């Protein structure tokens, strides 16, 4: 919409409940303040959204991401009023704005949709205002036909038109429309009915809709909005254990580790599938004390490489490279090769230590010492991790903070732009809030992904205090109702707080659905993850549908955390998963609709194993200048074909609600096969996983 440049009341600064603090200072140095006195506006504005705890933490967005701004706006008496949503740029100037429209009829709830155009610390403000034109139009529309105060009402209308014509920023053509309306209202040669009609004409209303006349402008507080780079919202991740890429057995059957060099030589295949984030598990030295063997056994064989999460040895700690993998020069070369192929590098940040980590001897106070004098190892019952010691953040928190900050800065200096943080919910939240704030101040391009499969309150709060993305419960949402409810929650209720990433499996997670469903399950879950969430990822080996669990656990047997994996990706192409991944990522790159979270709509189906949903970006916010609509239909049953009717909500697909849904009204093209169909409001589909078709991913165009 055209930016609203009507003069506004004096700008307000963001409401703050915390004294300004140096980002390098610990949270304990921030002084809590009472909530400030806030007088109600002349046109009250309350319950602004998206706002997190009255602005305690910023809402989230990325450039060009369209998001709703809502507020409750009302006034005393019967005069008309309006509301405007405004984005405030990082420099304090007003950015994009739009008039708000009532969405909760009778509840005074108003909404507009806006998008920021650059990263930075923005703000959100809502302005209530008195609407002189709306008030006059209502009163004149009642009085003039009734013959009451006719001359007075027409003159009042002419004066409103003149005031509106003088609003700064009004273009010449619109100004002339208003002046002509004023003249017509005063034309005594015309009938009162015709004079009134001139003031209520559609073109007059359109002009005042674009740039209204506003009295008693009453701004809300300016609430914080953190606009991150686009990768914070959308990306396709591919996880590797670098040591497995190039690992091999010699003639005597002894294993030899892959290296950063051999991994770099194998990135072309990953990039060819369209992935744009290369995620590396830890590459630091691995301890030997209590080193785990195959399948998490306590007795490692001589050639067992150990878990890369058992960080630290005499070769160094978190800021060193495992000598078996190579050097920092090799790491830099891998990062450079990934960038040449269009991928950025994410690195695992796992804050625990092997018993051989230098910190154990240099800073024993950083760990928990038990009554028998031993250091406590990590546990996540029923899992035990005897090969790692968790840090105790209550012992010398400042020393631990500075050491970890230096670790993060080391990897940033070597080209890491994303950190996938292992189990952040087991560390104090003030630590993360301070660390992420400091890193953002120094390197705003760096992102943090929380691997926190835990309670909702913890996951949301990690997002509130700074994490840019979060793992989710997607892996355990399998039915149509579960998926629908979960995506509605993520897209409508928490999108301004928590940005989800969908992973069908990880190196730690293999659900029974994947174990039992085999190749069809891997295919359909890839489609769901890639089309439901703007950020998604797979763990290396997904292409082979590796699905055999370790008995008693929801994780793979012969887990790559404890051994080398030598995979035949060429032979795996027979099952079609690699081709599917490639086509899914191509569709994501081609369609902005699949790179956004907030606009998703579910469509009814006649079979509960068929799920249908669409995503849409309107023309005003699409890079192509046209509506971008993608409709996905997935067979959720990996064991057999499903067929039925799909009942489309045509209005949500960009077609007027009154279109006859019984005749073809749109063309759909399957991004997975290239097949094209003409569809109406009700359509038959059949999806057979054993015939190679688990889903349709349709781009949609009106006929």
């Amino acid at each position: 919409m055209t930016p609203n440049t009507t003069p506004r009341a004096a700008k307000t600064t963001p409401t703050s409940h915390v004294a300004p603090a140096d980002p390098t200072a610990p949270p304990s140095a921030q002084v809590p303040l009472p909530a400030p006195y806030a007088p109600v506006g002349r046109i009250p504005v309350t319950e602004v959204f998206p706002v997190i705890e009255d602005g305690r933490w910023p809402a989230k967005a990325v450039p060009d991401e369209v998001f709703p701004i809502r507020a409750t706006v009302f006034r005393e008496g019967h005069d008309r009023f309006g509301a405007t949503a405004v984005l405030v740029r990082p420099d304090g100037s007003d950015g994009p704005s739009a008039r708000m429209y009532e969405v909760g009829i009778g509840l005074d709830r108003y909404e507009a949709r806006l998008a920021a155009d650059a990263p930075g610390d923005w703000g959100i403000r809502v302005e209530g205002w008195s609407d002189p034109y709306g008030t006059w139009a209502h009163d004149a529309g009642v009085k003039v036909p009734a013959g009451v105060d006719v001359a007075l009402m027409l003159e009042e209308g002419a004066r409103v038109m003149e005031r509106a014509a003088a609003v700064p920023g009004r273009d010449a053509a619109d100004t002339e429309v208003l002046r002509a309306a004023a003249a017509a209202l005063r034309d005594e040669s015309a009938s009162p009915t015709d004079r009134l009609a001139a003031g209520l004409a559609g073109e007059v209303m359109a002009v005042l809709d674009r740039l209204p006349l506003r009295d008693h402008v009453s701004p809300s507080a300016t609430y914080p909005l953190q606009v991150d780079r686009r990768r914070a919202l959308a990306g396709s991740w591919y996880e590797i254990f670098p040591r497995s890429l190039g690992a091999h057995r010699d003639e005597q059957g002894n294993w030899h580790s892959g290296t950063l060099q051999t991994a770099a030589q194998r990135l072309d295949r990953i990039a060819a599938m369209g992935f744009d984030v290369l995620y590396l598990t830890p590459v630091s030295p691995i301890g030997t004390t209590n080193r785990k063997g195959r399948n998490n056994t306590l007795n490692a064989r001589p050639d067992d490489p150990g878990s890369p999460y058992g960080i630290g040895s005499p070769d160094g700690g978190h800021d060193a490279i495992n000598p078996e993998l190579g050097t920092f020069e090799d790491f830099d070369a891998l990062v450079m090769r990934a960038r040449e192929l269009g991928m950025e590098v994410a690195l695992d940040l796992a804050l625990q230590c092997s018993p051989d980590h230098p910190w154990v001897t240099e800073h024993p106070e950083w760990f928990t010492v038990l009554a028998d004098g031993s250091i406590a190892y990590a546990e996540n019952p029923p899992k035990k991790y005897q090969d790692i010691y968790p840090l105790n953040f209550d012992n010398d928190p400042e020393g631990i903070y500075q050491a970890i900050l230096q670790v993060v800065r080391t990897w940033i200096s070597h080209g890491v732009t994303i950190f996938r943080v292992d189990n952040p919910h087991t560390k104090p939240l003030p630590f993360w809030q301070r660390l992420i704030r400091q890193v953002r101040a120094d390197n705003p391009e760096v992102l943090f992904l929380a691997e926190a499969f835990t309670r909702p309150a913890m996951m949301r709060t990690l997002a509130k205090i700074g994490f840019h993305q979060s793992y989710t419960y997607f892996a355990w949402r399998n039915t149509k109702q579960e998926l629908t409810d979960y995506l509605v929650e993520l897209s409508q209720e928490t999108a301004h707080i928590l940005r989800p990433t969908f992973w069908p499996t990880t190196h730690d997670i293999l659900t029974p659905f994947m174990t039992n469903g085999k190749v069809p399950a891997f295919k359909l879950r890839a489609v769901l993850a890639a089309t439901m969430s703007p950020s998604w990822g797979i763990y290396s080996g997904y292409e082979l549908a590796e699905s055999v669990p370790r008995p008693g656990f929801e994780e793979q047997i012969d887990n790559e955390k404890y051994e080398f994996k030598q995979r035949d990706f060429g032979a795996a192409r027979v099952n079609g998963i690699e081709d599917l991944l490639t086509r899914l990522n191509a569709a994501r790159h081609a369609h902005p609709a699949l790179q956004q979270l907030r606009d998703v709509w579910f469509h009814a189906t006649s079979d509960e194993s068929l799920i249908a949903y669409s995503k849409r970006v309107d023309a005003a916010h699409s890079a192509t200048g046209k509506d971008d609509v993608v409709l996905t239909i997935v067979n959720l049953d990996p064991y057999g074909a499903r067929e039925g009717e799909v009942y489309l909500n045509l209005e949500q697909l960009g077609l007027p609600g009154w279109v006859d849904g019984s005749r073809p009204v749109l063309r759909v093209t399957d991004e997975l096969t290239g097949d094209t169909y003409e569809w109406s409001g009700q359509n038959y589909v059949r999806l057979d996983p054993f015939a190679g078709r688990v889903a349709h991913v349709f781009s949609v165009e009106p006929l």
Side-chain angles (χ1 to χ4, degrees):
M1 300 183 72
T2 302
N4 190 335
T5 55
T6 305
R8 300 191 172 98
K11 295 187 178 78
T12 56
T13 55
T15 299
S16 175
H17 301 302
V18 178
D22 183 338
T24 64
S28 59
Q30 300 178 17
V31 181
L33 297 176
Y37 174 77
V40 68
R42 178 66 179 79
I43 309 298
V45 176
T46 65
E47 302 171 317
V48 179
F49 173 92
V51 173
I52 302 173
E53 296 190 21
D54 200 30
R56 181 179 183 185
W57 295 298
K60 289 185 171 73
V62 300
D64 303 319
E65 178 187 12
V66 181
F67 63 92
I69 298 173
R70 303 187 191 102
T72 300
V73 185
F74 56 96
R75 70 169 301 169
E76 85 294 342
H78 301 289
D79 284 0
R80 295 303 193 251
F81 60 91
T84 301
V86 185
L87 296 185
V88 181
R89 296 187 182 279
D91 65 4
S93 64
D94 286 353
S97 65
R99 184 167 182 172
M100 304 174 77
Y101 292 92
E102 194 170 10
V103 291
I105 304 302
L107 300 177
D108 295 322
R109 195 69 175 157
Y110 288 79
E111 177 182 301
R113 297 169 69 85
L114 290 171
D117 54 23
D121 293 323
W122 290 61
I124 297 169
R125 186 175 76 244
V126 172
E127 298 170 341
W129 39 272
S130 180
D131 182 2
Y133 175 76
T135 300
W136 171 81
H138 172 267
D139 293 348
V142 173
K143 288 185 174 183
V144 173
V148 177
D149 299 333
V150 173
L152 177 61
M153 293 309 301
L154 295 176
E155 177 58 25
E156 289 284 351
R159 295 186 181 191
V160 168
M161 299 300 165
E162 289 175 336
R163 287 186 61 208
V167 169
R170 179 97 57 204
D171 65 38
D174 285 359
T175 299
E176 183 54 36
V177 168
L178 296 175
R179 287 175 176 168
L185 284 163
R186 290 186 172 122
D187 183 3
E188 296 182 359
S189 67
S191 69
T193 299
D194 290 342
R195 293 162 67 184
L196 176 63
L200 301 178
E203 60 180 347
V204 171
M205 293 183 177
V207 166
L208 291 171
D209 188 61
R210 287 190 288 271
L211 187 59
L213 172 62
R214 309 186 315 160
D215 286 345
H216 305 304
V217 176
S218 305
S220 71
T222 298
Y223 296 100
L225 173 70
Q226 178 176 311
V227 182
D228 302 303
R229 64 187 180 97
R230 283 200 59 80
R231 183 67 71 229
L233 174 67
S236 301
W237 291 51
Y238 190 96
E239 176 191 356
I240 65 169
F241 283 69
R243 69 189 185 190
S244 286
L245 296 188
H248 62 281
R249 291 182 186 271
D250 61 23
E251 294 179 353
Q252 287 73 43
N254 299 314
W255 275 106
H256 295 269
S257 176
T259 66
L260 294 170
Q261 289 185 5
T262 60
Q265 294 164 7
R266 289 163 170 79
L267 298 186
D268 295 68
R269 184 189 70 88
I270 299 171
M273 287 187 286
F275 290 97
D276 37 44
V277 178
L278 179 71
Y279 155 38
L280 313 179
T281 52
V283 296
S284 296
I286 300 172
T288 56
T289 300
N290 295 333
R291 175 176 284 190
K292 292 297 187 73
R294 294 184 62 187
N295 291 312
N296 202 28
T297 62
L298 296 175
N299 300 308
R301 299 174 303 185
D303 63 347
D304 282 340
S307 168
Y309 293 89
I311 296 172
S313 79
D315 294 309
H318 285 75
D319 55 357
I321 297 277
N322 185 344
E324 294 182 1
L325 294 177
T327 65
F328 269 109
E329 288 75 15
D330 297 326
F331 186 86
D332 294 342
L334 182 145
V335 171
M336 182 177 296
R337 181 56 183 156
R339 288 177 177 172
E340 290 171 351
L341 294 170
M343 297 184 292
E344 59 182 297
V345 171
L347 181 66
D348 222 315
L349 182 63
L351 300 184
Q352 65 264 339
C353 300
S354 156
D356 305 317
H357 196 293
W359 289 348
V360 176
T361 54
E362 295 170 3
H363 296 283
E365 71 276 10
W366 290 1
F367 304 91
T368 299
V369 179
L370 301 176
D372 62 1
S374 65
I375 295 178
Y377 58 76
E379 294 186 74
N380 183 17
K383 296 180 180 180
K384 294 186 176 184
Y385 304 97
Q386 294 90 339
D387 56 336
I388 56 175
Y389 293 158
L391 293 163
N392 187 330
F393 285 77
D394 295 326
N395 298 339
D396 187 19
E398 185 63 21
I400 293 175
Y401 174 82
Q402 294 298 336
I404 294 171
L405 176 62
Q406 186 56 47
V407 167
V408 170
R409 284 173 168 167
T410 295
W411 292 110
I412 292 173
S413 72
H414 287 278
V416 172
T417 53
I418 306 175
F419 290 94
R420 178 270 194 189
V421 179
D422 190 65
N423 289 322
H425 55 291
T426 62
K427 285 77 179 174
L429 297 192
F431 164 79
W432 290 122
Q433 184 176 28
R434 182 184 178 193
L435 180 73
I436 296 173
R437 185 181 183 191
Q438 176 68 74
V439 172
R440 186 168 183 265
D442 298 337
N443 298 93
E445 77 283 0
V446 172
L447 308 175
F448 288 82
L449 165 64
E451 188 249 1
F453 299 104
T454 184
R455 298 183 302 278
M458 173 63 80
M459 292 174 68
R460 288 195 302 269
T461 304
L462 285 166
K464 289 176 183 178
I465 65 172
F467 277 91
H468 300 81
Q469 293 183 341
S470 176
Y471 279 67
T472 64
Y473 307 130
F474 166 74
W476 298 276
R477 300 294 188 263
N478 297 312
T479 69
K480 180 177 180 177
Q481 193 62 54
E482 288 172 344
L483 288 164
T484 300
D485 291 345
Y486 195 40
L487 196 55
V488 168
E489 173 190 331
L490 292 173
S491 64
Q492 303 301 318
E493 299 174 17
T494 62
H496 63 296
I497 299 173
L498 183 149
R499 298 190 187 103
T501 62
F502 279 10
W503 292 72
T505 67
T506 73
H507 63 257
D508 286 318
I509 297 170
L510 178 68
T511 63
F513 186 91
M514 307 299 280
T515 294
N516 300 323
K518 307 301 182 186
V519 170
F522 277 71
K523 287 185 174 180
L524 74 89
R525 295 297 290 185
V527 174
L528 291 170
T531 58
M532 282 186 161
S533 175
S535 186
W536 81 298
I538 64 163
Y539 157 51
S540 182
Y542 195 91
E543 306 94 308
L544 287 77
E546 294 173 343
S547 56
V548 180
R550 182 158 71 99
F553 296 86
E554 287 190 12
E555 65 177 42
Q556 290 186 15
I557 199 166
D558 302 331
N559 195 297
E560 195 170 1
K561 284 194 298 184
Y562 309 109
E563 60 183 278
F564 300 110
K565 281 281 188 179
Q566 193 174 25
R567 296 180 171 100
D568 187 347
F569 289 107
R573 293 191 178 99
V574 174
N575 67 26
I577 294 177
E578 184 173 306
D579 179 65
L580 175 64
L581 300 177
T582 304
R583 292 176 183 271
L584 286 170
N585 281 330
R588 288 169 51 85
H589 290 144
H591 291 285
L594 294 177
Q595 300 171 36
Q596 60 85 30
L597 173 66
R598 302 179 193 251
D599 195 343
V600 60
W601 186 269
F602 287 88
H603 303 261
T605 63
S606 62
D607 189 312
E608 283 303 297
S609 289
L610 295 175
I611 188 170
Y613 50 93
S614 61
K615 286 190 163 188
R616 178 185 174 195
V617 173
D618 62 38
H621 298 97
S622 173
T624 64
K626 301 187 299 182
D627 280 9
D628 185 58
V629 184
V630 176
L631 170 67
T632 302
I633 305 162
V634 183
N635 176 3
L636 301 176
D637 181 359
Y639 306 110
R642 291 286 184 158
E643 58 186 284
E645 300 292 328
V646 178
Y647 308 98
L648 299 179
N649 184 318
L650 296 174
E651 189 169 10
Q652 292 300 323
L653 295 175
L655 296 175
W658 47 263
V659 168
D660 180 4
S662 64
R663 60 179 177 80
V665 291
L666 46 86
R667 178 180 294 107
V668 296
T669 301
D670 197 331
E671 298 286 327
L672 304 182
T673 64
D675 296 334
T676 298
Y677 309 91
E678 291 186 355
W679 271 28
S680 63
Q682 178 177 337
N683 309 274
Y684 170 82
V685 296
R686 175 182 168 83
L687 295 170
D688 184 351
F690 297 105
R693 177 165 285 180
V694 298
H696 293 298
V697 180
F698 288 133
S699 58
V700 179
E701 295 179 301
L703 286 175

